[in-house]
Amino acid sequence: MSSWERSRYIPWSRAQQAQTGDPTQEDVDLDTQKERVFRQLAREAAREEDDARRKKKGLVDGDGDVDASAESSGSAGDGDGDDGGPPAHNTVLGFKSSVPYRFEDLLRNVAFGGTIGSITGSVFGFMDGMKSAGDSSVLKKASNAAKGRYLLQGTARSGMIFGGFFGGFHAGKYGVRVLCDPGDYAEMAIAGALGIGAMAARPQTRPSVPYAAMLIAMDAFNTYMREYT
């Protein structure tokens, strides 16, 4: 079953709700079980994709069983995964992570961050341009065409800056997850510190640091709502 099919079919029968007599506690337990099922399905999908890649390389036979040579080479990492997921492996930094690196996932994260950052940055740039046009005595006397060009240039520049920042932020999150997998909020803290530090280091992008911090806060709030609602 492909990962797309898994997203359409969720076996909720795996989530066994505890009968504690307390409706509030039962709701919490059910939410916890749902999250466990989602994570287990994601690990199973990742393992199927990993088996498919090994099969192409001749490491897995036609029945999906791993060859003895491949299993002996990966026996050092066996038993580190839970619920049948991919085993944890040692990264180049010496940490353990069960998230394998995939260029497709990296590209997907960069594309998502770049798209959201470009849209949000364009809005920020347009708002700043309107404010500057209203405060500047020179622009007040300029023609409507000149004002339009000024707004367009500011919007495009802000969209590219924030698109690059948020795309790099999500790439950093994915890199941290692959290298040490410390958790969602630790990933955001590390990637956010690197991204904001890079923006603050350049005088041209330093005024955009508050907006960049706002983007990271929105991403953290989205993660919180996804986990607890």
Side-chain angles (χ1 to χ4, degrees):
M1 182 183 296
S2 65
S3 57
W4 170 249
E5 291 171 338
R6 289 180 185 280
S7 66
R8 299 178 60 191
Y9 171 72
I10 307 298
W12 296 115
S13 59
R14 297 189 185 183
Q16 300 296 329
Q17 183 174 359
Q19 301 296 329
T20 60
D22 185 356
T24 304
Q25 185 64 31
E26 290 178 6
D27 291 341
V28 173
D29 292 338
L30 183 58
D31 291 338
T32 303
Q33 293 294 331
K34 287 181 178 180
E35 182 67 21
R36 182 186 62 81
V37 171
F38 275 124
R39 291 181 179 275
Q40 183 178 354
L41 290 173
R43 285 193 294 266
E44 290 176 359
R47 189 173 188 178
E48 286 185 0
E49 293 176 2
D50 188 55
D51 289 343
R53 285 196 305 274
R54 289 185 179 182
K55 185 177 180 180
K56 290 181 180 180
K57 296 179 181 179
L59 299 177
V60 179
D61 58 23
D63 296 331
D65 297 328
V66 180
D67 290 344
S69 58
E71 187 163 353
S72 61
S73 62
S75 59
D78 289 347
D80 292 330
D82 53 351
D83 294 332
H89 60 278
N90 290 322
T91 64
V92 294
L93 298 181
F95 298 101
K96 283 186 175 296
S97 174
S98 59
V99 180
Y101 169 77
R102 297 188 182 91
F103 179 74
E104 296 83 0
D105 292 341
L106 175 62
L107 188 62
R108 188 181 302 115
N109 279 273
V110 172
F112 171 78
T115 302
I116 299 299
S118 297
I119 295 173
T120 310
S122 298
V123 175
F124 290 157
F126 181 79
M127 293 171 58
D128 284 345
M130 290 291 291
K131 183 177 182 299
S132 299
D135 295 340
S136 175
S137 58
V138 176
L139 288 175
K140 286 181 180 179
K141 300 177 182 179
S143 64
N144 291 332
K147 292 179 181 178
R149 285 195 300 270
Y150 175 78
L151 288 175
L152 183 61
Q153 290 174 357
T155 301
R157 181 172 59 252
S158 180
M160 288 188 294
I161 290 174
F162 282 96
F165 164 76
F166 211 47
F169 169 73
H170 277 272
K173 280 177 57 178
Y174 180 72
V176 173
R177 188 181 310 128
V178 170
L179 290 174
C180 56
D181 195 13
D184 291 333
Y185 298 104
E187 294 167 7
M188 284 185 282
I190 297 173
L194 293 175
I196 290 181
M199 292 192 72
R202 295 179 60 85
Q204 297 86 346
T205 57
R206 197 170 296 159
S208 303
V209 167
Y211 292 135
M214 187 185 304
L215 272 176
I216 296 175
M218 291 168 57
D219 189 68
F221 180 74
N222 177 64
T223 301
Y224 174 82
M225 294 298 293
R226 187 176 66 246
E227 290 183 355
Y228 297 102
T229 59

